[in-house]
């Protein structure tokens, strides 16, 4: 797998557990044990996910000896969002086209109703 | 790897060649041969990337027998953008904090300069 930063970010986001971890951390920093609690997977599995997130720069872990709290780091998300924003024109355009089509269908239906 | 749609989208975007293919398709639909031309990789390798993009619903391929043009499909990008937008508060907040910090540093430097 490629290791450029944007690729690492998207790869880290390509897993529902990792996205759920980020959603939890959006509520505030927490310990790994607390983080693992709602998930039905082992602590080593959670640790592996945290390593992927940390490698992508999406989380940072505290240095406190006993309690190493995880914190969300938003900079890579901003970068990924910036990449996606370049394509905004495309999805807005396709919704405009759908909107125009639906209005056309509606107007035809009204005309037909008037004829009856 | 998980196969939910959002995961498939992020996984498809986690590769610079696939992102370059989407950037090329943003300029208009094109054939696979034309699409492969600027890349220093084999046609089978390009085909593999296209399959990943197609599986994620990010491209659609025409049905014309000889010429099967590829087209960008923006709906999954909109969905991925929607997920990221939930975190906008975090990266904007961190820039606000940086901004406040820099202003503080600047104001201290000015005060020091006046004292001299």
């Amino acid at each position: 797998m490629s290791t450029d930063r944007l690729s690492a970010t998207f790869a880290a986001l390509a897993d529902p557990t990792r996205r759920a971890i980020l959603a939890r951390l959006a509520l505030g920093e927490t310990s790994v044990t607390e983080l693992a609690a709602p998930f039905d997977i082992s602590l080593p599995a959670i640790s592996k996910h945290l390593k992927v997130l940390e490698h992508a720069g999406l989380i940072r872990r505290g240095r406190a000896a006993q309690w190493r709290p995880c914190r969300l780091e938003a900079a890579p998300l901003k970068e990924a969002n910036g990449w996606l924003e370049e394509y905004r024109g495309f999805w807005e355009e396709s919704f405009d086209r759908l909107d125009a089509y639906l209005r056309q269908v509606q107007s035809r239906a009204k005309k037909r109703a008037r004829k009856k």
Side-chain angles (χ1 to χ4, degrees), chain A:
Chain A
M1 191 184 290
S2 208
T3 50
D4 67 287
R5 169 144 158 174
L6 200 48
S7 296
T9 303
F10 283 132
L13 297 180
D15 182 281
T17 304
R18 288 198 290 270
R19 290 197 303 276
I21 289 173
L22 293 179
R24 169 59 193 84
L25 291 178
L27 304 173
E29 59 174 33
T30 184
S31 71
V32 175
T33 325
E34 207 184 320
L35 202 54
F39 299 103
D40 196 19
I41 52 176
S42 67
L43 216 58
I46 286 285
S47 279
K48 212 172 151 187
H49 282 310
L50 291 179
K51 264 183 200 139
V52 176
L53 290 169
E54 203 174 4
H55 168 75
L58 284 160
I59 64 167
R60 200 191 291 182
R61 300 184 64 182
R63 293 269 157 235
Q66 288 294 326
W67 190 70
R68 295 191 60 202
C70 295
R71 219 178 66 189
L72 179 69
E73 290 289 318
L77 296 177
K78 182 185 200 289
E79 202 178 311
N81 183 261
W83 187 87
L84 283 160
E85 282 294 336
E86 297 284 323
Y87 295 82
R88 177 175 287 277
F90 287 92
W91 69 72
E92 281 180 349
E93 186 199 342
S94 55
F95 277 91
D96 284 351
R97 277 207 304 266
L98 178 66
D99 196 49
Y101 171 75
L102 291 176
R103 252 177 292 151
Q104 201 180 19
V105 168
Q106 210 171 25
S107 124
R108 260 188 238 146
K110 270 186 198 163
K111 273 182 200 161
R112 236 175 289 141
R114 257 182 251 135
K115 273 181 190 166
K116 273 176 190 169

